[in-house]
Amino acid sequence: YTRNIKPNWNFGFNFRGLFIDKQILRQARGDRNVTSYYYDAFTTYHTKDSAYWLFANFQRMKHALLEQGGVDVEDDYQLEDFFDNGSSDTNIPQPNLTGRDNPRNTDLRTNIHLYHQYRIANGLELYHRFDKYRQYFEFDDTRRTDDFYDYLIIEQTKGALDRELFKTLRNELGIKGKVGGIFYSGYWAARNYSMDYKWIDERDFNLKTEGTEYYTGGNLRMNIGKEILLKGEADLLLSTNYKIKASLQSPWLQASVARYLYKPSYIQQLYLGSHDVWVNDFKNVEATQLVALATFSKPWLTLSGGGTVTTLDNYIFFIEFPNRQNQKVMPMQSSSSHFIQSPEARIKLTLWKKLSLSGRGVYTNVSENSDSAFQIPEVFLHGQLAYKDSWFNDNFDFQVGVEAHWQSAYYANGYDVPTQQFYTQRSFMT
């Protein structure tokens, strides 16, 4: 919902909900696997001469997942058995965790956002951005199904409850403007952060869990004629990490090059919960990515070809150690580089007026893949048949059709319930 209170003042809000029933052995309608609520409220304001603009909003999202712990699959299982709702047949695949009070993972996020700018002169504007962010994770197992987990660290008489709270407050001050066909911006920012663990006294570890970070960066966009756009951006965490990216957009070629140096996440470095514990001193991760896609276009046919090349050093991922008795899923940092090549081709064919057929194929080759850190389908195909139109004087746009995708067999990631992390595994082929 949105409306103008005055010609220069607007207010609105959004609400979205996800209410998803279980897909395996659902007992009845409303046997939820996921319950999620999101809402926000926003306002915009500008002076009559548009010299000053203000944008503000509040966002809140709570996402709760009732964990089923995967499916206990025998070698002779049949795919259709997965979807036999409410069956009592013990020979078909069963979730490892069943019932309405399964372990529950909850992710609660809120953010208060303010952005406002003032035009100092033609081609020069001063802006300020404020964000107050809070993210709360919780793992709750009231029945304490210890036979499901591979390790028990913290004894609790009334089940398991793990939680982490991450908070940031960021202020950004910058300038921006447009001169001719060139847009520019530059900023300086300070971000206060804190990470609080339920079962850890953060002072006992070398990892810094609260403090202030300082950033600087900027953007540059330049139009060459009416159809070519050049972009460049840089974000620097002073004295340590950075992101640098440049790109080209045109009707015939889209290309970009990006370079990243980023920190390990908190959960990769330090964690203590009911069923897991680790302390790591990982190095920063380095990544470079090249993307290019050339296009040949006619009114009835569009052909594109190109691909993506990615290199990573010191990559961090979660991995399963099936031969261990305790803590089979742990974070790990690769000691060597990874090199991923993904050539692809695309086609779009207009069959009749507004009816189109499109397809995409991607081949992925991981030529250097130490520790099997990347498990990706070698071939991925996607197709779509769609009818698109606009009615009521272009006030109602719609698209209807069918689409499908297929990928070659591969070892899809597993999922670790207590830590909410996906991990590489080599025991079940998807």
Side-chain angles (χ1 to χ4, degrees):
Y1 172 84
T2 180
R3 66 163 296 164
N4 280 355
I5 300 173
K6 293 182 177 180
N8 59 335
W9 182 21
N10 175 268
F11 172 80
F13 63 86
N14 294 289
F15 174 82
R16 292 193 295 271
L18 293 175
F19 312 99
I20 303 174
D21 282 3
K22 297 175 183 177
Q23 293 192 21
I24 299 175
L25 298 186
R26 184 182 68 156
Q27 298 302 310
R29 184 177 180 181
D31 189 8
R32 304 291 193 209
N33 178 226
V34 173
T35 304
S36 180
Y37 298 92
Y38 167 87
Y39 61 83
D40 65 46
F42 59 88
T43 187
T44 65
Y45 170 82
H46 64 88
T47 56
K48 292 182 178 180
D49 62 358
S50 296
Y52 176 79
W53 283 80
L54 180 145
F55 307 85
N57 67 60
F58 170 78
Q59 298 174 315
R60 185 182 188 274
M61 184 274 291
K62 184 176 182 181
H63 189 91
L65 172 66
L66 196 67
E67 299 286 4
Q68 294 184 281
V71 179
D72 186 11
V73 178
E74 301 294 336
D75 293 337
D76 58 348
Y77 80 97
Q78 300 294 319
L79 184 63
E80 57 269 18
D81 292 341
F82 281 127
F83 307 100
D84 188 0
N85 289 345
S87 173
S88 60
D89 186 353
T90 58
N91 294 322
I92 70 173
Q94 301 280 335
N96 287 308
L97 299 170
T98 59
R100 290 185 177 271
D101 55 348
N102 289 13
R104 181 182 298 270
N105 271 314
T106 303
D107 186 348
L108 173 61
R109 308 183 188 192
T110 60
N111 189 61
I112 299 173
H113 172 77
L114 168 68
Y115 174 91
H116 53 145
Q117 66 180 46
Y118 179 74
R119 185 174 67 237
I120 300 174
N122 290 334
L124 178 61
E125 296 170 329
L126 178 69
Y127 76 87
H128 169 246
R129 175 176 173 175
F130 169 87
D131 283 283
K132 185 177 181 181
Y133 177 76
R134 183 182 187 273
Q135 187 168 2
Y136 175 84
F137 298 97
E138 181 180 279
F139 167 69
D140 186 11
D141 185 357
T142 56
R143 293 191 305 168
R144 195 52 183 269
T145 51
D146 290 333
D147 56 336
F148 169 74
Y149 307 106
D150 56 29
Y151 198 26
L152 175 61
I153 297 174
I154 300 175
E155 295 280 358
Q156 298 177 67
T157 58
K158 295 183 179 180
L161 177 62
D162 303 332
R163 66 117 176 100
E164 295 86 43
L165 176 61
F166 179 66
K167 295 188 292 184
T168 66
L169 190 151
R170 177 182 169 116
N171 276 287
E172 178 179 319
L173 185 65
I175 59 172
K176 67 186 186 73
K178 188 175 181 181
V179 180
I182 300 176
F183 169 86
Y184 69 91
S185 70
Y187 76 89
W188 178 90
R191 187 180 80 145
N192 299 318
Y193 66 91
S194 67
M195 180 70 173
D196 179 60
Y197 295 88
K198 178 177 176 62
W199 301 110
I200 292 177
D201 186 345
E202 292 81 0
R203 296 170 295 181
D204 295 338
F205 300 89
N206 292 328
L207 179 64
K208 192 174 182 180
T209 56
E210 62 178 356
T212 304
E213 297 174 328
Y214 298 98
Y215 296 82
T216 187
N219 291 271
L220 189 67
R221 297 200 304 265
M222 181 171 62
N223 292 94
I224 302 176
K226 296 181 178 180
E227 296 183 323
I228 299 177
L229 176 63
L230 294 175
K231 292 183 179 180
E233 62 177 286
D235 294 288
L236 309 175
L237 173 57
L238 294 181
S239 76
T240 53
N241 307 102
Y242 60 83
K243 177 184 75 173
I244 301 175
K245 184 177 180 180
S247 64
L248 165 69
Q249 296 180 18
S250 75
W252 320 278
L253 177 67
Q254 296 185 41
S256 67
V257 56
R259 173 71 178 171
Y260 306 88
L261 178 66
Y262 60 91
K263 293 182 179 181
S265 66
Y266 273 114
I267 196 171
Q268 293 169 346
Q269 298 178 89
L270 177 62
Y271 184 79
L272 173 60
S274 301
H275 304 284
D276 295 279
V277 60
W278 53 75
V279 180
N280 296 309
D281 185 18
F282 289 146
K283 300 177 182 178
N284 287 341
V285 182
E286 301 180 50
T288 304
Q289 188 170 74
L290 302 173
V291 181
L293 192 68
T295 300
F296 171 80
S297 183
K298 292 290 185 181
W300 57 276
L301 176 66
T302 301
L303 296 173
S304 301
T308 303
V309 176
T310 306
T311 65
L312 292 110
D313 294 295
N314 302 322
Y315 180 68
I316 303 171
F317 63 104
F318 280 77
I319 186 172
E320 180 185 39
F321 300 96
N323 296 325
R324 287 185 179 179
Q325 291 185 345
N326 295 327
Q327 271 196 280
K328 296 181 179 180
V329 176
M330 297 277 287
M332 175 178 178
Q333 183 162 53
S334 292
S335 57
S336 60
S337 301
H338 297 80
F339 188 64
I340 307 170
Q341 307 161 74
S342 299
E344 66 172 279
R346 304 179 188 182
I347 183 173
K348 183 175 182 180
L349 181 64
T350 302
L351 301 177
W352 178 74
K353 293 184 178 180
K354 299 173 183 178
L355 180 68
S356 64
L357 177 67
S358 60
R360 181 189 183 196
V362 181
Y363 171 79
T364 299
N365 176 39
V366 187
S367 57
E368 296 179 26
N369 191 15
S370 62
D371 311 309
S372 299
F374 290 92
Q375 298 179 167
I376 306 172
E378 188 176 39
V379 179
F380 177 86
L381 301 175
H382 178 268
Q384 182 191 81
L385 178 66
Y387 178 82
K388 184 178 180 180
D389 204 351
S390 179
W391 292 352
F392 306 115
N393 296 320
D394 293 332
N395 288 312
F396 180 74
D397 299 328
F398 73 93
Q399 184 184 51
V400 61
V402 294
E403 64 180 17
H405 75 261
W406 175 92
Q407 77 268 337
S408 53
Y410 75 112
Y411 289 103
N413 283 346
Y415 175 71
D416 187 52
V417 169
T419 61
Q420 306 138 49
Q421 298 299 306
F422 290 93
Y423 62 88
T424 61
Q425 57 84 28
R426 299 192 66 82
S427 60
F428 184 80
M429 180 76 75
T430 299

